């Protein structure tokens, strides 16, 4: 299948209708979370809307939207918190929303987050449906929705926007739409520092495709051949049970060696890093720190990459007393679960761009010396880790699946309300 044929298959009519069960289920879970948050906050004399739009990082984004860059806070210990640490795409969209409507910057951030969360859910569905079929796609979206820190998906934060761009960029890679993948990766790089993960996925897939063409070899994995649209020839989603899958190591459909295909691939790879590189270099020029100036900005927030040493010390410190040892044990179990899921993705032969993306997001989240309470939400964009669970859940009976997901959704909503009314983000 060449690039033009892939584009035609991806653009088939009925894509929204196909994703409708996933999107409706996602909206229901998020609505439940917001209702529980509103009731919980009211009982504590707090405003749920303020918690969602005007606290923690949300304030920093709205200040960038309103005043631009240059604002900073100097702490008594000498740390400097500069708003240059926050990438610009979300503030730009907040400013746009305020310019074309009566919304405030904070209102704009909330609306952008809600719309982006739906786009993210659709992108996750598209990836999972393409690889494993419609039912697994629905399960993947619902698993992402019921994450314990899923309430962040409804906050004026950049996680939902980033996940939407990342998911659709990965889908574009998987279906051979290289220029689209590069453009979306560039936008992801303007959203969060972890945009590097999307860039790495695009480049890994592109290099693998070039190597495959050069060697003239193909890769045979377990699974089945899935057309670019994610539908089988019989009109049903996903692979027929037990059929072998012929797949390229980059996850993209086999493409011709035509110069046009190669040119689009090169264009996508060149476009991918422009967003992140452009902002980082601009910050370096503005601060006078050169190409590494952005790292100095992050150092002012005590953010850095130490291979997980600081996080390991933090976890070990939980075991010095009781009941904090229970929290330490929970952290160890949580990290082990994340690592186990990634190993499972590797063993199941997940496409290379998804492995590179999820691995980079996970490594940056767990191995950074940032706020330790932020790590669960920093891991939230690593949705490919959920795909093995989604495939397993897709085999369950509908009644049992609905009961389990409903119970977990209620628990997630309660935890989200408790979390935001307590320590909450960053």
């Amino acid at each position: 299948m060449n690039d033009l044929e892939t584009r035609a298959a991806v653009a088939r009519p009925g894509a929204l209708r196909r994703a409708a069960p996933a999107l409706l289920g996602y909206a229901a879970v998020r609505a439940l979370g917001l209702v529980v948050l509103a009731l919980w906050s009211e009982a504590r004399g707090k405003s749920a809307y303020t918690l969602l739009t005007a606290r923690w990082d949300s304030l920093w984004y709205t200040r960038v939207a309103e005043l631009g860059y240059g604002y900073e806070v100097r702490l008594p210990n000498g740390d400097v918190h500069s708003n240059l640490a926050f990438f610009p795409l979300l503030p730009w969209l907040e400013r746009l929303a305020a310019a074309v409507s009566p919304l405030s910057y904070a209102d704009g951030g909330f609306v952008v987050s809600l719309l982006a969360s739906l786009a993210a859910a659709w992108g996750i569905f598209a990836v999972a449906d393409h690889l494993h079929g419609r039912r697994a796609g629905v399960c993947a979206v619902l698993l992402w929705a019921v994450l314990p820190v899923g309430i962040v998906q409804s906050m004026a934060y950049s996680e939902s926007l980033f996940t939407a761009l990342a998911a659709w960029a990965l889908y574009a890679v998987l279906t051979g739409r290289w220029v689209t993948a590069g453009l979306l990766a560039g936008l992801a790089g303007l959203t969060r520092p972890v945009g590097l993960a999307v860039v790495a996925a695009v480049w890994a897939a592109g290099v693998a495709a070039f190597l495959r063409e050069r060697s003239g070899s193909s890769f045979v994995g377990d699974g089945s051949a899935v057309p670019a649209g994610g539908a089988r020839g019989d009109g049903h989603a996903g692979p027929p049970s037990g059929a072998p899958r012929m797949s390229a190591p980059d996850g993209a459909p086999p493409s011709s060696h035509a110069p046009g295909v190669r040119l689009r691939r090169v264009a996508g790879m060149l476009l991918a890093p422009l967003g992140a590189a452009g902002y980082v270099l601009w910050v370096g020029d503005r601060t006078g720190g050169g190409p590494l100036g952005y790292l100095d900005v992050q150092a002012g927030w005590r953010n850095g990459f130490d291979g997980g040493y600081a996080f390991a010390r933090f976890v070990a410190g939980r075991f010095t007393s009781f009941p904090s040892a229970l929290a330490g044990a929970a952290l160890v179990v949580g990290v082990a679960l994340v690592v186990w899921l990634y190993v499972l993705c590797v063993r199941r032969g997940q496409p290379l761009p998804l492995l590179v993306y999820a691995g980079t997001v996970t490594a940056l989240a767990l191995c950074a010396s940032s706020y330790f309470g932020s790590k669960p939400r920093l891991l939230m964009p690593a949705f490919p880790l959920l795909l093995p669970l989604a495939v397993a859940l897709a085999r369950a009976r509908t009644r049992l699946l609905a009961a389990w997901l409903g119970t977990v959704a209620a628990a997630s909503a309660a935890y989200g309300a408790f979390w935001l009314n307590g320590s909450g983000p960053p």
Side-chain angles (χ1 to χ4, degrees):
M1 178 178 290
N2 63 35
D3 197 54
L4 292 178
E5 291 171 336
T6 300
R7 289 168 182 261
V10 172
R12 74 194 189 285
L16 179 58
R17 183 169 62 251
R18 182 176 182 82
L23 298 180
L24 290 174
Y26 177 80
V29 172
R30 289 274 45 85
L32 174 63
L34 293 175
V35 168
V36 172
L37 174 64
L39 295 175
W40 197 301
S41 301
E42 180 67 23
R44 293 179 59 87
K46 295 183 179 181
S47 166
Y49 191 68
T50 298
L51 294 174
L52 293 170
T53 63
R55 291 195 67 188
W56 305 295
D57 289 3
S58 299
L59 285 175
W60 287 91
Y61 284 119
T62 56
R63 283 171 181 154
V64 172
E66 181 179 6
L67 304 173
Y69 286 104
Y71 176 82
E72 62 183 29
V73 175
R74 294 184 177 273
L75 303 182
N77 65 355
D79 290 346
V80 179
H81 288 184
S82 168
N83 65 359
L84 290 169
F86 295 88
F87 278 52
L89 186 57
L90 178 57
W92 287 348
L93 294 176
E94 290 177 343
R95 185 177 297 175
L96 176 63
V100 302
S101 73
L103 297 175
S104 68
Y105 297 114
D107 296 336
F110 182 66
V111 171
V112 168
S113 182
L114 287 183
L115 295 177
S117 68
L118 289 171
W122 193 356
I124 292 170
F125 170 82
V127 170
D129 179 32
H130 175 75
L131 295 175
H132 304 293
R134 188 183 193 185
R135 189 174 174 89
V138 173
C139 290
V141 170
L142 294 179
L143 283 173
W144 191 68
V146 301
L147 290 174
V149 294
I151 190 64
V152 174
Q153 297 162 17
S154 300
M155 297 179 67
Y157 269 45
S158 60
E159 271 78 8
S160 290
L161 179 60
F162 174 78
T163 305
L165 294 168
W168 283 108
L170 291 171
Y171 179 73
V173 169
L174 293 175
T175 54
R177 303 170 71 196
W178 294 100
V179 174
T180 300
L183 289 171
L184 291 172
L187 290 173
L190 286 171
T191 308
R192 297 185 61 81
V194 76
L196 171 66
V198 190
V199 177
V202 173
W203 271 76
V207 170
F210 281 117
L211 292 176
R212 184 178 72 250
E213 289 177 355
R214 184 173 181 179
S215 65
S217 63
S218 62
F219 173 82
V220 181
D222 54 354
S224 65
V226 184
R232 302 200 307 257
D234 58 4
H236 296 283
S241 177
R245 177 175 66 188
M246 298 294 294
S247 170
D250 56 16
S255 61
S256 71
H257 293 192
V261 175
R262 293 191 185 123
L263 183 60
R264 285 191 291 272
R265 189 184 306 142
V266 171
M269 294 174 69
L270 293 177
L271 287 169
L274 293 184
Y279 181 69
V280 167
L281 292 175
W282 178 80
V283 170
D285 179 70
R286 182 182 177 101
T287 61
L292 301 181
Y294 182 76
L295 298 181
D296 296 332
V297 171
Q298 287 286 3
W301 287 81
R302 293 187 180 269
N303 290 337
F305 190 88
D306 63 0
Y309 176 72
F311 185 45
R313 287 188 59 187
F314 174 79
V315 174
R318 304 302 95 191
F319 290 96
T320 59
S321 62
F322 188 86
S324 66
L326 297 178
L331 287 172
V332 171
V333 171
V335 171
L337 176 62
V338 169
V339 174
W340 175 73
L341 286 174
Y342 187 76
V343 171
L344 196 58
C345 290
V346 174
R347 294 182 64 182
R348 296 284 176 87
Q350 200 170 89
L352 177 63
L354 269 64
L355 291 176
V356 170
Y357 168 76
T360 305
V361 172
T362 302
L364 290 176
L366 296 181
C367 299
S369 57
S370 56
Y371 292 102
F372 303 117
S374 300
K375 294 193 181 294
R377 72 173 178 87
L378 296 179
L379 285 166
M380 193 169 62
F383 70 89
L385 298 179
L386 301 174
L387 295 187
L389 297 180
V391 172
L393 286 176
R395 302 190 186 105
R397 294 182 178 178
T398 301
R399 184 175 300 179
L400 292 177
L401 179 62
W404 185 84
L405 285 172
T407 302
V408 176
S412 174
Y415 178 77
F418 167 78
W419 185 49
L420 285 195
N421 279 275
S423 61

